[in-house]
Amino acid sequence: MRSIRFAAAVGAKPCQVESEVRTLEAAGIDLLHVEVMDGHFVPNFGGGPDFVAALRTITELPIEVHLRIEQPDRYVRAFIEAGADIVTVHLEARHDVRKTIELIRSMGCRCGLALNPLTLLEKSLRHLPRVHFLLCLTANPGSWQPLLPETLRKVAEAKAYREAANLAYEIVAEGGVTRESLASVVVHGADRVVLDSRLLGGAEDDPLRELRAAAEEANMGG
């Protein structure tokens, strides 16, 4: 039985980064997830190689960089050299996807391919044998956007295709996942879920343990 893993999106102000990371480490998060946005591919700004380099000096947790930018091939080298363990690029961005994937792999970094909510899985099939992760965005860009239930069909399709084609990529779900929707995301086939770090707060003594328990229950039931 697969074990569901959790990443937390890190987006604190520079003066708060170490405090946020220590909180996530104490919670037992599996990876740190950095959103890099250029204001063009998505209407927000965020992240950069310097931010990743700062994270690398304060934690040994794996760092995943999600490049939500128009020309990821121009910047992947800088992020890998800054300390990224995983670099995820978008199928829809302006680049030669195959060449970008090969560049990431040639630098000894694990590679992910991301699909926007409206992008069909079929568009990505020729690249899936060369990636380690397929990231399915399950919400539109923006803070606290709701999960789009129709995107879970793509997660299920990605799982079915992986089995039929005997591939090994992990399926990542990102966007709008809440305590209430987590079980459905897992049942549809997600191996890893990217959480907003605010979900790890609250009244529970160990909120991530509660989320893991819910995910494992859904995994066994699904």
Side-chain angles (χ1 to χ4, degrees), residues 71-95:
Q71 295 177 284
D73 52 322
R74 296 180 59 187
Y75 302 100
V76 294
R77 185 178 298 276
F79 281 99
I80 295 170
E81 291 175 348
D85 300 287
I86 302 167
V87 173
T88 295
V89 298
H90 268 267
L91 179 71
E92 307 89 354
R94 292 195 293 120
H95 64 127

Side-chain angles (χ1 to χ4, degrees), residues 111-154:
C111 180
L113 183 65
L115 305 180
N116 281 331
L118 293 179
T119 301
L120 298 176
L121 178 69
E122 286 78 5
K123 301 283 188 179
S124 70
L125 297 185
R126 65 192 179 104
H127 301 297
L128 295 183
R130 299 295 294 160
V131 300
H132 302 90
F133 306 93
L134 176 68
L135 189 154
C136 297
L137 280 167
T138 48
N140 290 318
S143 180
W144 286 100
Q145 292 297 306
L147 184 141
L148 301 169
E150 61 270 24
T151 62
L152 297 184
R153 186 180 308 115
K154 187 191 305 178

Side-chain angles (χ1 to χ4, degrees), residues 14-34:
C15 62
Q16 299 171 331
V17 169
E18 185 165 1
S19 174
E20 182 178 7
V21 169
R22 297 293 174 246
T23 298
L24 294 171
E25 288 175 333
I29 204 71
D30 298 304
L31 299 93
L32 299 179
H33 183 92
V34 178

